[in-house]
Amino acid sequence: MSRIRILAEAVANRIAAGEVVERPASVVKELLENALDAGADSVRIETEMGGKRMIRVIDDGHGMMHDDALLAFERHATSKLRSADDLITISTLGFRGEALPSIASVSRLLLETRDASEAEGTRVEFAGGKLVGVKPAGLPAGTTVSVADLFYCVPARRKFLKSDTTELGHIASLVTHYALANPTKQFTLTTPTQEIVNCSPTEKLADRVYQLFGRQALDELVEIPSVSAAFRAAITEPEMEAGEEAATLTVSGFTSRPDIQRPNRNGIYVFVNRRLVRDRLILHAIHEAYRNILPPSVFPATLLFLEMPYDEVDVNVHPAKIEVRFRRSQFVHDFTRDAIRQALMGSRPIASFATAAGAALAPNPAAPPASFAGGLAEANPDSGVPRAMIPLMEELGVGSGVGSDYSAANGFDLASAPAQPVPQKFPFERGSSFPGGYSPGAMPAGPGREPNWAENFSRAGANVPATLPRTGANCGLEAAGAGEREFYRRGERRRALDCGPARGARARALRTAPGSATSGKGGSAADADAAGVRAFTTADRNFRKDCGRTGRERI
């Protein structure tokens, strides 16, 4: 007995249903694509219990005749392909002819259709893959497909479905995707209690985004202008054949500003020839466009449309037709990345005050008229932007046209009078030093002599150069009053006691003094301060010996 056998038609249909019909949203996807391929201008989707109990798709496209309505439930029966060569240039959303027989094998299906050329329509009913009845009916032009009790004959598949809310969310997301891809068509999604989606036909994609997401979401997006380029062969791709130079790739859509971030990729919609796809190549191109703009753990919101010849993309690589394969993937990747990055660069934020001030600029009255490529115009006096009044150079008393390159002599026009010296606030006599200071000439010579960097400030021809004051002689302490001298000395004492060695010595003195807290007697703060001053003096002396700088400079 042979071990290999041909499966029955019902078993083959259920196997195909496992690939095509995953959940109620899969049924809506197949029926919605059939409606769009039929040229429908209006599509209405009705659901109950998240699509588990009932799904009804109504369209006004061209319907089917009586014989076509019956033939549509045969496996691999389709009106979209004629030969194997048609697989290379698939222009429709559906093409395999597996949707209706697969759905009918796992549900109760009712098909109502009428072609515009016929007087009456046809009603076909299936249950669990078996034909229940066929009869004529008076119907409007178009097609209505009702799917009830999904997976009623396959309990194992039905128990894997999620809650009604979750399944309805998948259906709403799918309808939203196709509504974005077809802004010139009307889409409606309803339940027995509410209307979830209702989009009237629009001419612009921005209007459809506003209908689905609202004004706030539209303001967060940056438009990607439609850009096109001829296909070019990369190093790793096949050479261009004769006649393929005219093939072009067009990229358009919307993408979010850099300050808009999403925690996942659910806000990324990619359409190739109006077909919703989830392609890793395009997702990588989007992430590359936002490199160094967004952190790696967040994602943008992008609505991307790619238009290309049908022979440049293969859509027959996934059972659910949600993945595609590009013939020249490297060029598609790089061109998509550059288009998004160019749109982001053109939308960089600019400070509002800079824009307003740029509109109020005017040429300098003293300068000759100039022309600007941006068409800079005279500022409006009523614009409210403050204007800086720049006086003429002659009014400043420093000459006419100083530093300008458009004067009459085409050069500098400095004043002939020499500049007057600024009077000194503190007069110094030649050969004198600061009070309390020391003269470099009186310093001892030899290896132990302190370095005096003030000698570099000696003036030529002076008998004795003027020197900078010592720390204790700042601001003429001897000439100051008694109150000022006392204030200065107290400040010096506070700074001396604030150094590290002084703080440590003072603390030790307080601990070891006869009147400390450990001995039970009253301590003496004056003794502690004296110990701190002595520690500071010792540290200051040691430091000056080490590096030649004063301890006060160290502090």
Side-chain angles (χ1 to χ4, degrees):
M1 182 177 178
S2 176
R3 296 182 180 179
I4 299 177
R5 64 185 61 89
I6 299 176
L7 296 176
E9 189 71 16
V11 178
N13 287 335
R14 290 195 180 185
I15 293 175
E19 299 177 351
V20 177
V21 184
E22 179 184 359
R23 61 197 328 157
S26 304
V27 176
V28 175
K29 177 180 181 295
E30 298 294 339
L31 299 181
L32 191 58
E33 289 180 350
N34 287 342
L36 295 175
D37 289 339
D41 294 327
S42 176
V43 182
R44 180 181 180 87
I45 302 99
E46 301 175 358
T47 63
E48 295 181 10
M49 292 183 59
K52 300 176 185 178
R53 175 179 294 177
M54 193 273 296
I55 298 173
R56 180 177 292 117
V57 178
I58 307 170
D59 67 78
D60 58 353
H62 57 78
M64 292 180 285
M65 299 180 181
H66 179 273
D67 296 340
D68 291 341
L70 293 176
L71 193 61
F73 289 93
E74 297 292 334
R75 290 198 67 198
H76 306 299
T78 179
S79 62
K80 302 164 186 176
L81 297 177
R82 290 292 183 269
S83 63
D85 295 337
D86 296 339
L87 288 172
I88 303 176
T89 58
I90 298 176
S91 60
T92 56
L93 298 176
F95 54 89
R96 293 194 181 120
E98 294 180 337
L100 286 180
S102 300
I103 296 172
S105 64
V106 294
S107 66
R108 306 181 193 273
L109 187 145
L110 176 63
L111 171 66
E112 297 175 321
T113 181
R114 183 178 76 86
D115 188 83
S117 61
E118 290 190 338
E120 62 181 9
T122 304
R123 178 175 293 161
V124 182
E125 186 176 355
F126 276 82
K130 297 181 180 180
L131 180 62
V132 176
V134 181
K135 57 183 179 181
L139 302 170
T143 303
T144 301
V145 181
S146 302
V147 179
D149 300 332
L150 185 63
F151 298 134
Y152 83 98
C153 56
V154 191
R157 294 290 303 277
R158 187 177 180 87
K159 70 179 183 180
F160 281 95
L161 296 179
K162 304 301 181 181
S163 63
D164 298 348
T165 304
T166 302
E167 298 298 341
L168 181 60
H170 286 287
I171 295 175
S173 177
L174 182 74
V175 175
T176 300
H177 292 170
Y178 281 96
L180 289 171
N182 301 271
T184 60
K185 302 181 185 298
Q186 181 177 2
F187 291 85
T188 307
L189 173 62
T190 62
T191 65
T193 58
Q194 61 180 333
E195 185 178 67
I196 301 176
V197 177
N198 189 358
C199 301
S200 58
T202 60
E203 295 182 358
K204 298 180 179 179
L205 179 61
D207 297 336
R208 179 52 57 90
V209 174
Y210 174 78
Q211 290 176 345
L212 294 172
F213 303 111
R215 170 60 62 183
Q216 180 179 358
L218 182 60
D219 294 339
E220 294 175 352
L221 298 177
V222 175
E223 183 178 4
I224 303 175
S226 180
V227 290
S228 302
F231 275 94
R232 296 187 299 272
I235 298 177
T236 59
E237 296 173 347
E239 295 293 335
M240 300 289 290
E241 298 179 0
E244 291 184 342
E245 291 78 5
T248 59
L249 170 65
T250 304
V251 177
S252 62
F254 289 89
T255 190
S256 60
R257 300 196 307 266
D259 56 329
I260 306 301
Q261 302 175 0
R262 300 292 180 88
N264 49 47
R265 296 185 179 92
N266 293 342
I268 299 178
Y269 305 148
V270 180
F271 298 89
V272 177
N273 291 337
R274 303 291 169 176
R275 179 191 302 273
L276 175 65
V277 299
R278 302 291 293 181
D279 187 74
R280 294 183 179 180
L281 181 76
I282 303 300
L283 292 178
H284 185 268
I286 295 173
H287 295 163
E288 285 295 312
Y290 279 89
R291 180 181 290 273
N292 300 328
I293 298 178
L294 290 182
S297 58
V298 298
F299 305 92
T302 305
L303 176 60
L304 195 63
F305 291 89
L306 279 72
E307 299 290 339
M308 64 185 68
Y310 298 113
D311 57 352
E312 291 289 341
V313 56
D314 186 6
V315 300
N316 190 25
V317 296
H318 192 274
K321 296 168 292 187
I322 61 175
E323 295 182 4
V324 295
R325 184 174 301 163
F326 299 101
R327 185 183 179 190
R328 308 187 187 278
S329 57
Q330 188 65 40
F331 175 77
V332 174
H333 175 276
D334 295 345
F335 187 74
T336 302
R337 176 201 61 199
D338 296 343
I340 298 175
R341 186 174 296 174
Q342 191 67 26
L344 293 175
M345 292 177 59
S347 63
R348 288 179 296 181
I350 302 176
S352 58
F353 68 87
T355 305
L361 288 176
N364 189 354
S371 61
F372 297 90
L376 195 62
E378 183 71 21
N380 185 7
D382 300 331
S383 62
V385 179
R387 297 181 58 186
M389 303 303 297
I390 302 177
L392 297 178
M393 303 301 289
E394 292 83 350
E395 299 177 4
L396 299 177
V398 293
S400 59
V402 176
S404 63
D405 55 355
Y406 51 82
S407 58
N410 197 17
F412 287 91
D413 185 15
L414 301 177
S416 57
Q420 299 296 328
V422 179
Q424 297 182 1
K425 294 183 180 180
F426 301 97
F428 297 97
E429 298 180 0
R430 295 173 61 89
S432 64
S433 62
F434 285 92
Y438 56 89
S439 175
M443 293 185 62
R449 177 178 178 270
E450 288 187 3
N452 185 14
W453 54 269
E455 293 178 355
N456 297 329
F457 291 88
S458 300
R459 293 185 299 173
N463 297 329
V464 181
T467 61
L468 294 180
R470 297 176 61 118
T471 309
N474 286 340
C475 302
L477 186 60
E478 288 74 3
E484 295 181 3
R485 288 197 300 272
E486 183 64 21
F487 176 79
Y488 176 77
R489 290 192 179 95
R490 288 182 179 179
E492 288 291 309
R493 183 181 182 84
R494 284 195 301 271
R495 285 192 292 272
L497 292 176
D498 192 50
C499 72
R503 285 198 299 267
R506 191 174 188 276
R508 287 192 299 272
L510 287 174
R511 288 196 303 269
T512 59
S516 63
T518 57
S519 62
K521 302 178 181 180
S524 174
D527 294 341
D529 291 345
V533 172
R534 287 195 299 270
F536 168 76
T537 306
T538 303
D540 178 60
R541 187 184 307 110
N542 295 335
F543 185 80
R544 281 189 294 169
K545 290 181 180 179
D546 293 338
C547 58
R549 296 170 58 187
T550 63
R552 292 184 181 86
E553 290 176 348
R554 180 186 179 188
I555 296 173

